Amino acid sequence: MDLTRRPRRLRSTSAMRRLVAETELRPRNLILPMFVREGVSEPVGIKSMPGVVQHSRESLRKASAEAVTAGVGGLMLFGVPATRDAVGSGGVDPDGILNVALRDVRAEVGDSTVLMSDLCLDEFTDHGHCGVLDERGGVDNDATLRIYAQMGVAQAAAGAHLVGPSGMMDGQVGVIRHALDAAGHTDTGILAYTAKYSSAFYGPFREAVDSQLRGDRKTYQQDPANGREALRELALDLAEGADVVMVKPAMCYLDVLRTIADHSDVPVAAYQISGEYSMIEAAAANGWLERDRAIVETLTGIRRAGADMVLTYWATEVAGWLA
Ligand code: PBG
């Protein structure tokens, strides 16, 4: 054999592979999404997401402290209210579960990690849509924006470092930015859900937040068939003042993630969503794949595709492995 070029040389020992690895996964790259449920004194398991719970206020504080100790880059909170209404009042109410939990966690962890909040109405509405409905039952973009503005201010006042508008309403980043600034929260940032697709893989999340949704979100979330419009969403979010942009879900949209990363001048996040989590947990529980390796491989792939940070339900556990 007259082979002078042998790529296998650089794979020959683990030290060699470590030396030439292009992509790093560090605890600070990981953000832990967490659910907090109003009115429970013990955490409640989520059947479709083995290992993930709806926290009580108490267990949320404890798990937040553990995540910080493990070195995660941030926490993203979702509220599960005890009661809901048509306009999602619980999201704006300073005593609503999400705002109360933000105050709890901020008191617990201070500035030692980055505290983020889901800024969306779906957990708080009795119809489960991400916005309020017009008289024909459609999601009313501009009426929703007025509520998002108030919600953003409430979350900033409660201690969020970054608010995360996830409802895919047109103009949401700009309206929230204006409202935050007008209320003096100029240091509170916006992690924009820039390219959020209408995905079947949100399935387990619906149980996690006890979603009331019937139907789908196709009139506001992006069509999985489309990549180009992610760039349009990116241009709008950047112009409106997004501090971080996100692609969601991650695994089916790595091409979109790469495109966004190549065009963004702000940091890029990706969300490894509930269905991505549950698929691997289910396969591993059946002995069909090596759980820990599969987890690290997915997170590495998401980083390689261009994500500076990854929201993942495994954040604390993986940060522990990497420490
Ligand atoms: C909407 C929201 C959803 C998720 C995060 N924010 C659900 C949806 O858009 O249907 C899904 C997260 C996951 O599946 O892990 N507020």
Side-chain angles (χ1 to χ4, degrees):
M1 290 295 145
D2 186 21
L3 277 175
T4 52
R5 289 171 176 80
R6 293 181 182 270
R8 286 186 56 190
R9 279 185 205 115
L10 295 182
R11 302 174 197 144
S12 58
T13 68
S14 70
M16 187 70 84
R17 293 190 292 274
R18 184 182 60 193
L19 181 70
V20 302
E22 296 172 30
T23 306
E24 255 209 314
L25 189 59
R26 302 303 310 156
R28 72 176 183 94
N29 305 128
L30 307 175
I31 297 164
L32 178 66
M34 308 173 88
F35 304 103
V36 56
R37 177 163 163 183
E38 188 172 20
V40 297
S41 52
E42 295 294 323
V44 180
I46 301 164
K47 273 203 228 44
S48 55
M49 299 180 75
V52 180
V53 300
Q54 296 173 325
H55 282 289
S56 66
R57 286 177 60 184
E58 176 86 23
S59 72
L60 180 76
R61 287 180 77 130
K62 193 158 162 277
S64 300
E66 283 165 12
V68 170
T69 303
V72 302
L75 307 171
M76 170 65 83
L77 303 196
F78 293 89
V80 187
T83 56
R84 299 174 169 87
D85 62 22
V87 294
S89 312
V92 174
D93 184 352
D95 294 322
I97 182 63
L98 179 53
N99 294 321
V100 166
L102 284 166
R103 285 198 293 275
D104 285 348
V105 174
R106 184 66 187 268
E108 181 76 32
V109 305
D111 290 334
S112 64
T113 194
V114 179
L115 182 58
M116 311 177 191
S117 51
D118 186 54
L119 201 173
C120 194
L121 286 179
D122 66 312
E123 291 99 2
F124 297 98
T125 53
D126 54 14
H127 45 75
H129 275 294
C130 295
V132 291
L133 305 183
D134 60 26
E135 59 284 353
R136 282 170 307 154
V139 174
D140 185 334
N141 193 86
D142 299 13
T144 300
L145 292 184
R146 285 190 276 278
I147 303 177
Y148 282 0
Q150 298 168 39
M151 211 173 164
V153 172
Q155 294 179 349
H161 294 100
L162 292 176
V163 298
S166 64
M168 290 300 280
M169 295 300 124
D170 291 339
Q172 60 186 9
V173 172
V175 165
I176 293 165
R177 184 69 269 157
H178 276 291
L180 290 172
D181 291 349
H185 296 294
T186 51
D187 288 339
T188 305
I190 300 177
L191 181 152
Y193 284 62
T194 294
K196 179 174 178 183
Y197 286 86
S198 179
S199 173
F201 293 91
Y202 299 137
F205 180 91
R206 301 280 156 86
E207 182 196 343
V209 298
D210 188 19
S211 173
Q212 305 300 301
L213 183 69
R214 278 180 299 276
D216 58 54
R217 307 194 195 286
K218 289 180 184 169
T219 69
Y220 41 106
Q221 297 181 343
Q222 282 183 245
D223 186 331
N226 295 345
R228 193 186 291 135
E229 73 177 343
L231 281 175
R232 189 167 187 223
E233 292 282 4
L234 174 68
L236 288 168
D237 281 0
L238 292 175
E240 291 174 29
D243 298 282
V244 181
V245 294
M246 182 150 78
V247 174
K248 172 185 183 181
M251 199 136 92
C252 293
Y253 301 91
L254 294 177
D255 57 329
V256 176
L257 180 55
R258 168 45 59 201
T259 303
I260 294 271
D262 286 344
H263 288 85
S264 175
D265 60 3
V266 301
V268 176
Y271 197 142
Q272 181 179 56
I273 61 160
S274 56
E276 299 180 66
Y277 173 91
S278 300
M279 278 195 296
I280 290 180
E281 289 291 349
N286 278 290
W288 294 340
L289 45 76
E290 283 177 58
R291 176 181 180 276
D292 300 2
R293 266 186 75 194
I295 292 171
V296 170
E297 186 175 330
T298 59
L299 292 169
T300 302
I302 295 165
R303 289 268 296 132
R304 193 193 62 242
D308 300 294
M309 55 194 96
V310 188
L311 281 85
T312 172
Y313 298 97
W314 289 301
T316 302
E317 182 179 2
V318 173
W321 302 341
L322 301 172

